Amino acid sequence: MLIREAAADDWPRIWPFWHRIVSAGETYAWDPDTSEDAARALWMSPAKRVYVVEGDAGRVVASAYVTPNYGGPAARIANAGFMVDPDHGGRGIGRALAEYLLAAAEADGYRGMVFNAVVETNPAVGLWTSLGFTILGTVPDAYDHPRHGRVGLHIMYRALQPA
C-alpha cells in the first residue's frame, strides 16, 4: 500500500467511494445529495493537504485531508477527514492512513487535531480512541441517522507533538 499526496487527477478515483459514503448518510455530516462539483470543492480545496492510499494496481482505496480547523492565532490546530472505500474496509487501511496523517500534521507544525462532528455510531470512533483521541463532548440528538434515528455528534481531540 502506498500513501502519497493527492494530485488533481486523483479526484475521479476518489469520487465513487466519497459519493457512496456520504450518500449513505451514516458517517458524515455532509448533505447526502452533495453534487460531484461541490464534493470536489469540499475535499480537494487548496487550503487542504489531501492524501490518497493506493492499493493493488494503483487503485485509490482511501483518501484523507488535513487543514487548519481555525484561523489566525489558532491555526496550529488541525482538522481532518478520512474515507476508506467500503469495498476495502477492515484491512488496516484506515489505521495506516490515520497514523500517516497524524505524523504529517505533526511535521507540518500542528499542535493538535480536532474532529468537529463524529457521528457517535461511526465504527471509526474505536479507531480514533485507540489512536489517542478523546471525546471532549457530545452534541445529543444532532444527527439524523438513517438506521439509528437521532444520534449524537462527538467532538474529538488529540494533542500532537509538532516537529
Side-chain angles (χ1 to χ4, degrees), residues 130-155:
S130 76
L131 290 171
F133 283 83
T134 59
I135 297 171
L136 299 178
T138 303
V139 181
D141 296 334
Y143 191 86
D144 291 324
H145 194 284
R147 290 184 301 122
H148 302 294
R150 286 186 290 180
V151 299
L153 288 173
H154 294 320
I155 301 162

Side-chain angles (χ1 to χ4, degrees), residues 6 9 11 25 55 62 67 74 77 84 88 101 122 130 134 138 148:
D9 63 354
W11 176 251
T67 190
I77 301 299
V84 176
H88 291 81
L101 202 70
N122 185 337
S130 76
T134 59
T138 303
H148 302 294

Side-chain angles (χ1 to χ4, degrees), residues 18-80:
W18 193 104
H19 177 66
R20 182 175 169 195
I21 291 165
V22 173
S23 67
E26 295 193 1
T27 56
Y28 269 87
W30 289 333
D31 184 349
D33 295 323
T34 301
S35 71
E36 183 175 359
D37 288 342
R40 183 180 187 136
L42 278 168
W43 200 259
M44 302 290 285
S45 161
K48 296 175 178 174
R49 290 191 66 185
V50 181
Y51 298 87
V52 294
V53 177
E54 289 185 2
D56 297 335
R59 179 177 177 177
V60 173
V61 296
S63 184
Y65 68 78
V66 65
T67 190
N69 192 61
Y70 311 107
R76 294 288 95 203
I77 301 299
N79 177 260

